[in-house]
Amino acid sequence: MVLEDKMILNGEPDEEEEEEEEEDMVDPLESVREKCEQSEHCVHARERLEACESRVGSRSATTEDCTEELFDFLHARDHCVAHKVFQSVK
């Protein structure tokens, strides 16, 4: 039984090794998205989205949703990201 346990463990990396590898990896897309969200156009789109969310949240019965504002924000952010993301990919 002990020999079988050792054989199974020898073929798989330890959990500690897997965690260390995961910590070192940083998704360049996420970092570029964060930078782009700080750009002037994205900040303006986010402000419009947040204003819509607060307006809709303050009403108890409304059919309004913030889909258009959300899409505007995502479009602005993705447009910025599209120009920058491939520069950080090796």
Side-chain angles (χ1 to χ4, degrees):
M1 183 75 177
V2 174
L3 181 60
E4 290 175 358
D5 291 339
K6 287 183 181 180
M7 290 176 62
I8 292 173
L9 293 177
N10 286 338
E12 300 174 4
D14 293 339
E15 288 182 23
E16 293 176 11
E17 290 177 15
E18 288 179 13
E19 290 176 10
E20 289 175 9
E21 290 176 10
E22 290 177 9
E23 291 174 8
D24 295 338
M25 296 180 67
V26 177
D27 186 4
L29 180 61
E30 292 300 321
S31 60
V32 172
R33 278 182 177 168
E34 289 173 6
K35 290 177 185 175
C36 283
E37 287 177 5
Q38 305 305 318
S39 70
E40 182 180 345
H41 189 67
C42 289
V43 168
H44 178 69
R46 180 178 284 282
E47 288 172 354
R48 287 189 12 234
L49 175 61
E50 290 172 354
C52 178
E53 288 175 343
S54 64
R55 183 176 62 247
V56 170
S58 67
R59 298 179 182 161
S60 59
T62 183
T63 59
E64 181 183 13
D65 60 10
C66 300
T67 304
E68 180 180 351
E69 289 82 358
L70 175 62
F71 285 167
D72 289 344
F73 169 71
L74 294 176
H75 176 75
R77 186 191 65 190
D78 290 345
H79 181 76
C80 173
V81 168
H83 295 287
K84 297 179 181 179
V85 73
F86 291 107
Q87 295 172 356
S88 63
V89 178
K90 294 181 181 180

